[in-house]
Amino acid sequence: MRITSTGAVLQPNQPAFYAAGSTSTSYSGGSIIGFSKSNTTNPYDQTNSFNNSTSAFTAPVGGLYHFDVAIYVWSGSSSTVQSYAVYVNGSAYSNSDTFIAYQQVTSTSADQQTRWSFTIKLNSGDYIQIGIRPGAPTLSIYAGHTYFQGFLVG
């Protein structure tokens, strides 16, 4: 951390990341959604805390973290319910009845994007993934408008 002569606080190694959807595909209930970061076009994961192969952010230090998520579902049907879960250390947060975002698809041909934010306390080494809530129906996710990002609040 550095404080400039004007009083600005700079934290160049603050844990933060942005990962886009990695593959447009279908995910069944209980599945982890694929995300990947690009170090070329998005180099701000200074702590290298996001793992492309597991789509997981691992907290390098304990603290309060804030996350933003957007999931774009295409080819929905009017009976499809979208429900998503945050997975902490491989398990749906709290219990299988907990979901972070929920949306009823209202048209048989309309694409839908669900966005949400959450703040959570993590210990050093805890990891976060985003997935389909256990027991939820299969969803076809378009990677182009899907993302997962977060940062250490303090």
Side-chain angles (χ1 to χ4, degrees), residues 4 8 17 22 24 28 39 46-47 62-63 68 74 84 99 117 141 143:
T4 67
F17 74 98
S22 60
S24 295
S28 60
N39 289 328
Q46 298 299 315
T47 59
D68 300 302
W74 50 275
Y84 305 98
F99 55 87
S117 299
I141 294 177

Side-chain angles (χ1 to χ4, degrees), residues 37-44:
K37 67 175 182 175
S38 167
N39 289 328
T40 304
T41 58
N42 180 25
Y44 74 89

